[in-house]
C-alpha cells in the first residue's frame, strides 16, 4: 500500500465485504498489490476491483481474495495448493498464513512473472509450477487446503482426490460466461460437506498448458 489513507480505505473495503478475520486482514495489509500489477494499472492497485494482467487474465478483486482466503481457514502448518497463479498476489497472501504453497499456472509467462514478483517481496515458501492445474499436483498430494481461482463447471475429480481428510477446498463453480457460485467443500468423517458462499465471476479453468 502507499499512504496510510489508502491503506485504511483498502482495509475498510475488505471489512465491508465481510473479510473480518484479523490474520487475513494483516496478511493483506502486509502484501503490496502494486507489486503484482503492471504499468498504468499499478495506480489502481489499492482499489477493490479486478485488474487486467498479461495473457488476457485478471488479478481478482481484493475483497474476493480476502473472502476466499478466510473461507480456507488456514493453519500455520498447512500445505496448500492453488490453481491459477495469475499475478501471484493470492499466492503471496496464502504464503503468509500457511507453511508451504504450490501454485499452478497454465501460462508460462504468467508463471515467470509471478515468480519474479514473489521473489521481489521476499516470499520463499511458494513453488510456482507451469502446468495444467485441473490435474492437481499428485507428487505433492495430499493437500490440507486447495484453492481454485478459475471457474470449472464442477470440482475437478483429480483435485478432490488430492484433498486430505479434514481438508478444505474453495472454488468457483459454474459456466464461464455466467455468474458463478463460490463453494467450500469441507471433508470430514461423514463425507464432503458443500457450502455456497457467494456469487463471483472468474475466468474459466482451461485444460492444457498454454503456449505463451
Ligand atoms: N489467483 C490469481 C488470479 C487468477 S486469474 C491472482 O492472484 O492474480 C485465473 C488464472 O488461472 C489465470 O492466470 C489462468 O491462466 C489460470 N488458469 C486457468 N486454467 C488453468 C489451469 N487448467 N491450470 C492452471 N492455471 C489455469
Amino acid at each position: 500500500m502507499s499512504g496510510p489513507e489508502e491503506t485504511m480505505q483498502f482495509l475498510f473495503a475488505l471489512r465491508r465485504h465481510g473479510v473480518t478475520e484479523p490474520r487475513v486482514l494483516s496478511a493483506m495489509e502486509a502484501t503490496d498489490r502494486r507489486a503484482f500489477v503492471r504499468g498504468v494499472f499499478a495506480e489502481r492497485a489499492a482499489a477493490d476491483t479486478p485488474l487486467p494482467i498479461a495473457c488476457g487474465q485478471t488479478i481478482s478483486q481484493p475483497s474476493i481474495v480476502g473472502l476466499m482466503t478466510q473461507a480456507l481457514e488456514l493453519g500455520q502448518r498447512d500445505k496448500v495448493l492453488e490453481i491459477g497463479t495469475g499475478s501471484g498476489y493470492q499466492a503471496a497472501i496464502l504464503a503468509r498464513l500457511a507453511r508451504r504453497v504450490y501454485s499452478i499456472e497454465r501460462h508460462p509467462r504468467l508463471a515467470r512473472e509471478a515468480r519474479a514478483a514473489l521473489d521481489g517481496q521476499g516470499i520463499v515458501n511458494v513453488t510456482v509450477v507451469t502446468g495444467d492445474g485441473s490435474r492437481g499436483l499428485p507428487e505433492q498430494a495430499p493437500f490440507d487446503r486447495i484453492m481454485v481461482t478459475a471457474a470449472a463447471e464442477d470440482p475437478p475429480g483429480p483435485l478432490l482426490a488430492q484433498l486430505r481428510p479434514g481438508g478444505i477446498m474453495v472454488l468457483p463453480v459454474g459456466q464461464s460466461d455466467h455468474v458463478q457460485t463460490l463453494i467450500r467443500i469441507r471433508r470430514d468423517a461423514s463425507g464432503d460437506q458443500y457450502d455456497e458462499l457467494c456469487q463471483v465471476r472468474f475466468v474459466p479453468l482451461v485444460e492444457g498448458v498454454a503456449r505463451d
Side-chain angles (χ1 to χ4, degrees):
M1 296 303 108
S2 9
E5 178 64 22
E6 242 181 15
T7 304
M8 263 184 40
Q9 281 181 9
F10 181 76
L11 294 173
F12 181 71
L14 295 177
R15 286 179 185 279
R16 194 156 45 84
H17 284 87
V19 185
T20 52
E21 171 62 47
R23 293 181 61 234
V24 173
L25 288 167
S26 313
M28 292 187 71
E29 186 176 358
T31 307
D32 187 356
R33 193 168 179 246
R34 278 177 310 175
F36 298 89
V37 285
R38 301 260 150 170
V40 293
F41 296 111
E43 286 165 31
R44 285 158 60 193
D48 190 29
T49 53
L51 293 171
I53 55 174
C55 307
Q57 306 300 314
T58 50
I59 175 172
S60 314
Q61 185 176 343
S63 54
I64 297 294
V65 169
L67 286 174
M68 290 178 78
T69 307
Q70 184 167 280
L72 220 47
E73 298 176 9
L74 289 161
Q76 283 172 350
R77 305 295 312 151
D78 284 349
K79 181 163 79 168
V80 183
L81 175 65
E82 181 197 20
I83 309 304
T85 315
S87 66
Y89 177 66
Q90 173 73 75
I93 291 161
L94 295 172
R96 293 187 194 277
L97 297 166
R99 177 171 57 89
R100 177 103 224 135
V101 178
Y102 293 88
S103 184
I104 311 182
E105 171 55 55
R106 66 184 291 277
H107 282 284
R109 172 176 173 192
L110 288 175
R112 246 187 347 259
E113 292 182 359
R115 177 71 268 158
L118 290 163
D119 286 344
Q121 300 299 296
I123 293 171
V124 296
N125 58 335
V126 176
T127 303
V128 179
V129 178
T130 303
D132 179 359
S134 60
R135 297 160 182 266
L137 199 61
E139 61 271 33
Q140 292 297 338
F143 295 95
D144 301 295
R145 301 288 186 264
I146 300 179
M147 180 188 284
V148 187
T149 64
E153 287 193 27
D154 295 298
L159 298 184
L160 284 170
Q162 291 171 33
L163 184 67
R164 79 157 173 77
I168 296 177
M169 167 148 70
V170 172
L171 75 164
V173 291
Q175 284 168 2
S176 60
D177 48 352
H178 289 77
V179 170
Q180 306 132 6
T181 307
L182 188 65
I183 62 169
R184 170 168 53 196
I185 304 172
R186 228 184 249 285
R187 178 159 296 171
D188 61 25
S190 54
D192 285 354
Q193 320 297 329
Y194 283 67
D195 272 325
E196 294 192 357
L197 303 178
C198 58
Q199 302 295 296
V200 286
R201 196 157 186 166
F202 276 86
V203 298
L205 187 73
V206 178
E207 283 188 16
V209 177
R211 272 201 231 124
D212 61 342

